[in-house]
Amino acid sequence: MRRIGRLLLPRRPLQRKCCETEVEVADCNVDVIREAIDCMRAQGVDVVCGRWLIDGSPNVVLFALNSSYWRLDSWKKEFWEATHIGSPPHDSETNDAILFGFLVTWFIGEVRSRMYGDARCVAHFHEWMAGVAAILLRVRHIDVATVFTTHATLLGRYLCAGSADFYNNLQIGRA
C-alpha cells in the first residue's frame, strides 16, 4: 500500500476574507489530490489548497460554495431521489450543507478514482454540515470508510430529544 500521508481535507467552505489570514495558499504536491482539484477547477469550482495556519500546519482544501450555486437545484433533486431527505427551499444553512456535501463527495470520488493498488481511504465527517457527504458516499458506493462524529449541538439535541437510540441503530444509516 502506498501511503500519501495524513491529510486534513476539506476543512470547511472557502471564506475568502478568512482564507487570507488562516491559510498559506500553496499547490498540492500529492498527485491524486492535485489532479482531483484540477478536474474540479476545470468544471468551474473555485478551490483553494494550502496549509492551515494552526499547530501542525495540516493540509487543507477549501471550496467556494458560490462557484457551484447554479448546481443547487439539481443536487437537491438528486439528494431527494436518492435518500428521500427533503430540504427547505430558501434555508441558507441547508443549502450550504447540500452544496458542501456534494462538493466534498465529488472531491473524494475524484481522489478515490485516482488511487491505485490496495490503497485505502477514510473520510471523517464532523457535525451536521458534513453529514450530506457521508450519506452521498454511501449512496454513490464510493469505496471509502466513513466516520461521523457529533456532539451536543443541534443534531445531537434533536437525537436526544427524540429518544433516538442512536448508537444502537447505526445500521439504519448505512446504504
Side-chain angles (χ1 to χ4, degrees):
M1 178 188 316
R2 181 173 178 263
R3 184 180 174 99
I4 61 173
R6 184 169 186 255
L7 302 168
L8 178 64
L9 304 166
R11 174 70 178 135
R12 62 177 187 219
L14 172 62
Q15 297 170 338
R16 287 277 177 201
K17 64 182 183 244
C18 297
C19 186
E20 294 174 5
T21 59
E22 295 180 3
V23 176
E24 178 185 346
V25 177
D27 291 329
C28 181
N29 60 1
V30 178
D31 291 343
V32 296
I33 294 172
R34 186 182 60 254
E35 291 167 9
I37 290 169
D38 290 345
C39 175
M40 293 179 75
R41 283 178 176 156
Q43 295 186 53
V45 179
D46 184 8
V47 184
V48 169
C49 181
R51 294 206 172 268
W52 197 15
L53 298 175
I54 61 169
D55 288 343
S57 301
N59 296 305
V60 65
V61 174
L62 304 171
F63 304 112
L65 300 183
N66 62 348
S67 66
S68 294
Y69 198 83
W70 63 275
R71 294 179 166 102
L72 180 62
D73 288 338
S74 66
W75 283 350
K76 286 175 101 170
K77 180 178 187 257
E78 179 183 341
F79 195 65
W80 167 254
E81 289 173 351
T83 66
H84 297 288
I85 298 172
S87 57
H90 302 292
D91 183 88
S92 62
E93 286 185 338
T94 302
N95 290 342
D96 286 353
I98 290 170
L99 289 167
F100 185 64
F102 271 82
L103 288 167
V104 169
T105 302
W106 182 1
F107 174 75
I108 292 172
E110 291 291 340
V111 169
R112 188 68 186 108
S113 72
R114 288 166 170 76
M115 295 172 74
Y116 53 87
D118 61 350
R120 297 184 183 145
C121 184
V122 176
H124 177 203
F125 302 98
H126 181 67
E127 281 307 332
W128 68 272
M129 190 167 188
V132 171
I135 294 167
L136 285 172
L137 287 170
R138 289 293 163 241
V139 168
R140 292 182 175 179
H141 306 287
I142 297 173
D143 185 21
V144 297
T146 57
V147 176
F148 179 78
T149 57
T150 188
H151 50 82
T153 59
L154 192 59
L155 175 60
R157 288 191 291 268
Y158 282 146
L159 290 171
C160 291
S163 300
D165 189 5
F166 183 71
Y167 295 103
N168 289 320
N169 289 294
L170 287 176
Q171 71 277 4
I172 63 173
R174 295 182 183 151

